[in-house]
Amino acid sequence: MYNSTENYTTPEGSTNFTTYSVRMRTFELYAFSINSLVGLPTHSYVIWLIVKGTGTGVASGFFNLNLSVCELGSCLNSLLFVLFEWYPFMIILALGTQGFGITGRPLFQCLMCVERYLAVVHPVTFLKFKPLRYRVICCTAAWIITLGSCLCNLMILFSDNIILHAWFFSLQFILFFSIQLFCLSAVLRALKQSGPGERGRERQEENHMKRRAFHLILITTVNVVIIYVPMTISGFCTIMTNQYITAIWFPALLLFFLAGFVQPVLYLHRAGKLSCLCS
C-alpha cells in the first residue's frame, strides 16, 4: 500500500518528472512523519486509559484496546518508512508491518461495528456473547489473520508485483467496507425508530442517548467511507494502469492516515479527556 515506486512516462522530459517525484516523495515523508509522531503518543495514551480502567473499562473497550495496539503497529510502519531514507535495511520491517494498516485496522473496526450491530439490533444475542472470553477469541483470530497478512504482504512486495499487491489490499478493503457499512446502516435505521412509549424525563433521557449514539454511528460511517473508498479507488487505478499514480494514491494515503485518528479522538471524548470537546 505504501509503495513509492513510480512508473510514469512523461513527454515533457525527465527533469520535470524527477522534480515532481522528489516533491511527492517529500510530501509522503511528511505524511509518514506526522502519522508516526502524532499517532504513537495518541494511541499509547488510549491504551493506557483502557488498561487503567478509565472510560468504558477493559472488558467493554477490549476491541478498542486491540485496535489501538494495531494502530501503534501502523504508526510504527510509517516511522520505518521514514527511517528507510537513511537506513535501507529497514525496508524488510517497513514492508512487513504494512499488514497492520491493510488488514489489522479494518478487521478490528469490523469487530467493533459487529458488536454495535448486535447490541442495537440483536440485544439478546449481544448479551449472550457479551463476556470477555468471546472478545478474546475474536481478537486472537484477528491477530493471527493480521500477522499472516504481514507475511503475505512482505512476500508480494518482494516479488515486485504491484498488480497483485493492489488486488491484495483492494479486495480486503471492499470486504471490510461492505461489512462495516451494512452494520452501521442497520444501527442507524434502528436508532431512528421510536422506542417504547415512556413519558416525561425518561423519554427525554432516552431520546438524548439515542441522539448521541446516532451521531457517533454517523461519524463512524463517514469515517469508514473516507478510509476505504479513496484507497480502493487508488488500488483499482493501479490495476488498470499497471502503475502507482501518485496524484491519486497520495491523497488517498493522507485521508487514510487522518481518518485513523477519529476512533482515538472519539474514545478520549467519551472518557472526558478532551475538555474542549466535552464543553
Side-chain angles (χ1 to χ4, degrees):
M1 185 171 59
Y2 314 146
N3 193 321
S4 59
T5 303
E6 302 166 27
N7 300 317
Y8 291 104
T9 56
T10 57
E12 291 80 8
S14 59
T15 302
N16 292 336
F17 166 66
T18 302
T19 304
Y20 176 81
S21 300
V22 171
R23 186 183 298 115
M24 292 306 300
R25 180 56 183 164
T26 302
F27 289 154
E28 289 178 2
L29 288 176
Y30 282 137
F32 288 135
S33 300
I34 294 173
N35 185 54
S36 58
L37 292 176
V38 178
L40 288 173
T42 301
H43 295 295
S44 298
Y45 183 51
V46 171
I47 293 172
W48 182 76
L49 288 177
I50 297 175
V51 173
K52 185 182 176 182
T54 305
T56 57
V58 177
S60 58
F62 192 72
F63 287 146
N64 214 326
L65 172 65
N66 283 267
L67 175 61
S68 296
V69 174
C70 187
E71 291 286 4
L72 279 181
S74 182
C75 294
L76 177 63
N77 174 251
S78 298
L79 180 61
L80 290 171
F81 269 101
V82 175
L83 295 177
F84 168 68
E85 289 293 308
W86 297 276
Y87 306 101
F89 64 89
M90 291 285 186
I91 189 61
I92 297 178
L93 291 174
L95 296 179
T97 52
Q98 284 190 23
F100 291 110
I102 292 177
T103 304
R105 176 197 283 184
L107 191 52
F108 286 112
Q109 286 181 340
C110 270
L111 292 176
M112 294 174 63
C113 288
V114 171
E115 183 182 43
R116 291 166 180 167
Y117 169 77
L118 292 176
V120 176
V121 182
H122 302 286
V124 177
T125 305
F126 172 73
L127 293 176
K128 179 181 179 181
F129 292 99
K130 190 178 180 180
L132 182 60
R133 63 177 178 271
Y134 294 109
R135 294 185 173 98
V136 173
I137 293 173
C138 292
C139 289
T140 300
W143 278 114
I144 293 174
I145 295 173
T146 300
L147 295 177
S149 173
C150 290
L151 180 60
C152 292
N153 192 76
L154 181 62
M155 295 173 61
I156 291 173
L157 289 177
F158 263 111
S159 67
D160 201 23
N161 191 335
I162 62 172
I163 300 301
L164 182 59
H165 183 240
W167 278 113
F168 180 70
F169 72 79
S170 296
L171 292 179
Q172 289 189 72
F173 284 170
I174 291 176
L175 174 63
F176 292 130
F177 175 71
S178 301
I179 296 174
Q180 293 182 62
L181 194 61
F182 168 78
C183 293
L184 293 171
S185 59
V187 172
L188 287 174
R189 287 197 302 268
L191 291 174
K192 288 180 66 177
Q193 297 175 358
S194 59
E198 294 96 349
R199 294 181 179 179
R201 185 174 180 179
E202 292 182 357
R203 181 66 175 272
Q204 292 178 357
E205 290 179 354
E206 182 193 6
N207 290 336
H208 178 66
M209 292 178 62
K210 277 191 172 184
R211 282 196 300 270
R212 290 186 60 185
F214 183 86
H215 292 155
L216 174 63
I217 298 300
L218 185 61
I219 292 173
T220 305
T221 305
V222 175
N223 184 55
V224 166
V225 174
I226 294 175
I227 289 177
Y228 300 115
V229 172
M231 290 300 299
T232 304
I233 294 174
S234 176
F236 280 108
C237 288
T238 301
I239 294 170
M240 291 185 293
T241 60
N242 196 25
Q243 61 185 8
Y244 282 102
I245 303 176
T246 308
I248 299 176
W249 176 81
F250 176 72
L253 177 64
L254 189 61
L255 291 174
F256 185 84
F257 284 157
L258 294 177
F261 295 115
V262 172
Q263 286 295 337
V265 168
L266 289 176
Y267 181 85
L268 293 175
H269 176 46
R270 293 197 303 271
K273 300 302 179 180
L274 297 178
S275 57
C276 59
L277 293 179
C278 293
S279 60

